[in-house]
Amino acid sequence: MAANAIPTIHVSSVRSNIHDKDQIRLNSAFAWCAVVNNEDQFVQVDLVEIHRVTGFATQGNPNADEWITIYNLRYTVNGIDWLYERISGNGALGIKV
């Protein structure tokens, strides 16, 4: 998400105005941070049309020792039926669509 425009980004919560969804892109001055640290926090990206996504990258907060270690990835091609993948650490995606 560093270079290309993403039409719609939703997040579950925002810790403060310097940790809002605008900080979600790679190499931001700050980082998106949720209000609480639990498995109910999310980032939702709507690519509007079908794209082949071959991976994603994350990085921690450049101003604190904060980063994500487990990802739950859900994706859909029709907006109704969702598929699920759990990724630990910095593992590669093993998804075939």
Side-chain angles (χ1 to χ4, degrees):
M1 291 202 274
N4 296 327
I6 303 297
T8 306
I9 298 173
H10 297 287
V11 296
S12 54
S13 63
V14 173
R15 184 188 301 167
S16 69
N17 63 342
I18 64 168
H19 295 106
D20 67 6
K21 69 180 183 177
D22 293 334
Q23 299 298 321
I24 210 159
R25 297 182 179 280
L26 294 175
N27 304 313
S28 295
F30 298 98
W32 167 71
C33 294
V35 172
V36 295
N37 181 10
N38 65 30
E39 292 186 11
D40 295 329
Q41 305 313 303
F42 67 86
V43 172
Q44 180 177 336
V45 177
D46 184 351
L47 300 176
V48 179
E49 57 190 46
I50 294 175
H51 292 271
R52 180 180 200 96
V53 177
T54 58
F56 67 92
T58 62
Q59 65 189 101
N61 185 347
N63 302 300
D65 288 334
E66 299 171 325
W67 56 89
I68 296 173
T69 57
I70 297 173
Y71 308 86
N72 294 312
L73 177 66
R74 293 178 178 94
Y75 56 97
T76 181
V77 293
N78 62 13
I80 299 168
D81 302 310
W82 290 82
L83 303 168
Y84 173 82
E85 184 81 18
R86 185 173 183 95
I87 304 152
S88 297
N90 59 356
L93 294 176
I95 299 169
K96 295 179 181 172
V97 179

